[in-house]
Amino acid sequence: MHYTEVENLATTITIADYLFHRLKQLKVNTIFGLPGEFNAPLIDKLYSIQGLRWAGNTNELNAAYASDGYARLKGLGCIISTFGVGELSAINGIAGSYAEHVGVLHVVGMPPTSAQTRQLLLHHTLGNGDYTVFHRMATEVSCHSAVIVDTDFCAQEVDACISKAFTLQRPVYMGIPVNLVDMPVESHRLNQPLDLSVPPNDPNKENEVVEQILSHFYKAKHPVIIADACVTRHAVDAETRELCERTQFPLFVTPMGKGAVDESLPQFGGVYTGSISSPSVREVVGFVDFLIVIGCMLADFETSSFHFGYRAKELVLLYPTLVKFKHATYPDLNIKPLLQSLLSQLRESQLSYHTQPRQSMVIPKLELPSTHSLRQEWVWNQISQWFQERDIIITETGTSAFGINQTHFPHHTLGISQALWGSVGYSLGACLGAAMAATELSKTHRVVLFIGDGAFQLTAQELSTMIRWRLTPYIFIMNNQGYSVDRFLHSNASYYDIQPWDYSRLPEIFGAQDYESRKIVTVGDFQSMVKDPNFANAERIRILEIMLPPMDVPQALRERWVQDEKRELERRESVESVKRQKLLPPR
Amino acid sequence: MHYTEVENLATTITIADYLFHRLKQLKVNTIFGLPGEFNAPLIDKLYSIQGLRWAGNTNELNAAYASDGYARLKGLGCIISTFGVGELSAINGIAGSYAEHVGVLHVVGMPPTSAQTRQLLLHHTLGNGDYTVFHRMATEVSCHSAVIVDTDFCAQEVDACISKAFTLQRPVYMGIPVNLVDMPVESHRLNQPLDLSVPPNDPNKENEVVEQILSHFYKAKHPVIIADACVTRHAVDAETRELCERTQFPLFVTPMGKGAVDESLPQFGGVYTGSISSPSVREVVGFVDFLIVIGCMLADFETSSFHFGYRAKELVLLYPTLVKFKHATYPDLNIKPLLQSLLSQLRESQLSYHTQPRQSMVIPKLELPSTHSLRQEWVWNQISQWFQERDIIITETGTSAFGINQTHFPHHTLGISQALWGSVGYSLGACLGAAMAATELSKTHRVVLFIGDGAFQLTAQELSTMIRWRLTPYIFIMNNQGYSVDRFLHSNASYYDIQPWDYSRLPEIFGAQDYESRKIVTVGDFQSMVKDPNFANAERIRILEIMLPPMDVPQALRERWVQDEKRELERRESVESVKRQKLLPPR
């Protein structure tokens, strides 16, 4: 039966209905944002479509973060904001989705076309009659943008916007003037599913690259596979797994790739963070003769925020649409068909690699008496044992982003972090989005957030939206009284202190009926929490305040500090040399 | 004694010190923002300068709102954010300052120049090596922008940035790479105060305009003066007052100009809101033969957000740097010297206008028994009587923005609202900024905020910063269970509902030691609150939750609704006509 028949649609529907049906077809069931004068008629339409819901966020930046978190689970997210004030409030979140390859459709309700053409000075404008300024700003952080004005081609444009956001995994900006939401389009277009397939590669180019890679695969004695963030974003999880299983090559993930591969695979060795990797990781990766990175996110793998210092002679980088091999660059190669071709041509019998004694992931051990106060090192070790299959684990920029790398993820665990863009406060919004998405997936998932107290304050009100929807995430607030990472890396300046809040009582203030709050001060508190069998069931929202010393940080951060100190010395020397060059005249 | 001697400065100081000393000279004593990796070395310098303080906000959007509120009292505000994530989070607030003519210096701590020139892929970048993208976006909402890179001219550039923000009353964007904060400059430049004077006008052009205006002044029988927002922003308060007193012309303010003139002047008649003005205002303004608007903010006065419909045959509009007179436009005329010239040439004896029976401002009366639940109409009337001289009164976009127009401001009251840009949640951030500024002014001021419950949720955490600084504003939360203005103007859709919070207990959660919370449900509750003599003393922070029916709105809003209904009808007709034009083929 055709979609229009199933949904019982009239021959002609409005463009707003068309948009929402397209989103529904892609299982984008929750739409984030806030209402405003210029988008309310659009949101009205959403309510009439069964299976869609309006999240109703507390502010637009949080809504953008939520759409991003949602999209990381469902492949596409959508936020609707209002012209000017709303869209600009969201733009930092959208920029994060752009940097981190997340498919988000940003729909902006715009003033009526009549006001725009007559340059009327409505509110939410800069008062200068310029109605295109916010669109111009958005194009800097979008892979595609359009304002729906052409009455004849509006359905095609909606299709283009959605397809691009989905296939390119980047934000798309789509403006809809408020007077055009009722514009009629033919519903039968909905019976043709959107073409979201990745186009095939040029077979000659693809074969050239596959042959080159395979020849190195076959002769490598000490190979390593590293999975980066775009394995998940561009849906090559299955191909990556097959490659690992068939080659048996040792496997690592980048911090952004954590959760992209099954960590219970026997050859999984942990998180590779360049020069600050744990000794056991460095031991393996330091001696490779062939290294392939699958699903690279960064344009230049060697200089990421985590200071990847490794430069293998035989290094292959597979980006979403590009391959780098030693000094050569092969543009316009889509990763999915490329990997499929690689797998079909791979002959295991020709591999020289012999499976070596497993360098399985090492989780640091630290024994502490039950009355002892908590330590980051100990907490991350313990929490790792509490994780379950299918957990969705979200970490904030800060100590959690480092701590999580020393945990072990059970099978089918999904990791969410914003390691490149690193917008503080992101994870609470993303947690809302992920928790909404989790309720829409077929299997049950627990949603687990780790966030610092400093970061929590930036976006705290989104907790209220979680409560409103009776979502049941675990929110671990790592309370170290301020911005510990900065404090550790920069100085113990008073501007890293924050106002102390009574976090555990926030759910009550935000109207929660069924919730649990715990303040975890000692090792014993923590142990009795994770041993409680009821605690494993995600049946209510939980605030778990983990009290940590202000200057206690995970081991990886300590390593980074040593390196930063070195760079700081270099910086001072460079300033001194500028000072010397610029001899001030005597006075 | 020279500034450098008073401050005991070395011959050579750093560019960061130079910047902060310049701000100190202009009495910008509080700097807003959040710390980050790329701005921390800059903020460090601030701490070494006596008389400056770092506010330490909870997020960057709130910090931008706070800088704006601070600048509206002190002429200039400053926010320091970090590259990418921080600056984009703030950009909606900066756009508001741009739209509403507020002088804010936005200082952005950038990655080191070495990383920029080598296009390293640090965090807080889009991952594509483009380090200028955020600067490009900022130029859309700034009157001037610069990145401090030239070691020889950096002091000049800092001076230019500050002067432009101050004199043009618009945001200025200034990036400082983190490795350049120690760049040496000569301190003796600080002994020369910044030139913040408004340049004189071309005397011929100025005289032509002054003569024209005066000739209309002299022959007008029914003249009116309207003061708009730029009276305060461009500091022509004294000139406007003198003009009113010497001509005795009836005087009104626009909503954005409320607080710009002394409402105890006998000829003050209230707020002119175009076609939705109160009948007593319309009665006067409807019959004028000459109308002068001083300090216009909008490029086109007749089509503002408040639907000014008035088109006087003899209409003079004085913009900050432009005069419009009937159909003529005179560019490049600064308002301050123009008004001064007008005043010096004005001869009262030649005026035809005879002072008429005063149309003093009418405050609607409504008697309610003490057990009655509250009504917007009644509350605004009562609160008006509680206002004191020198109060700083801040209103949020929403019912408060309409309600405040029916109150009477005592002498020296300052009004803050964001009527053009209208970013919901602005007023709580602005309240922090205004409260910080108020503590720095010579006289004592009470800071009074009116904000809806819906708006409060967007920026709620900034209450924590007020508590941290032991500020003592009155925060009236007009609790009508959601977005009443939109509900009233658009529909009673469920997306205008919000999660109910226990607002009165938030100060406790945010760590307040000394605070007062009241939930005001009945007329009697309200009366006993305002009659309490202790309540008049702003000695602690107060949350006053005013419980109002969801669909109860001030009278002015009702009037607007009637007009919007008319427009909605027109909109539907236009959609219908498009539908008719676009005949779909039969299927």
Side-chain angles (χ1 to χ4, degrees), chain A residues 44 140 495 505 508 582, chain B residues 44 136 151 495 505 508:
Chain A
D44 281 337
E140 299 280 9
Y495 50 78
R505 287 171 63 209
E508 183 188 331
K582 190 192 174 188
Chain B
D44 280 338
R136 287 201 302 277
T151 56
Y495 51 78
R505 286 170 62 209
E508 184 188 332

Side-chain angles (χ1 to χ4, degrees), chain A residues 5 57 106 122 167 211 213 242 285 379 382 418 516 574:
Chain A
E5 288 163 343
N57 297 86
H106 186 187
L122 295 180
T167 54
E211 277 168 27
I213 297 177
E242 185 183 335
V285 186
V379 167
Q382 296 294 307
Q418 204 193 39
E516 182 184 333
S574 108

Side-chain angles (χ1 to χ4, degrees), chain A residues 200-255:
Chain A
N201 296 320
D202 173 333
N204 290 330
K205 197 186 338 177
E206 185 176 270
N207 274 331
E208 182 184 325
V209 171
V210 166
E211 277 168 27
Q212 288 240 38
I213 297 177
L214 284 180
S215 77
H216 286 80
F217 264 45
Y218 295 149
K219 69 179 182 208
K221 296 252 163 51
H222 302 286
V224 153
I225 297 173
I226 294 181
D228 197 7
C230 285
V231 164
T232 328
R233 304 287 205 288
H234 293 270
V236 289
D237 322 53
E239 290 82 359
T240 305
R241 186 189 175 98
E242 185 183 335
L243 190 70
C244 296
E245 287 179 332
R246 286 173 58 193
T247 61
Q248 291 291 312
F249 289 176
L251 167 67
F252 297 86
V253 291
T254 65

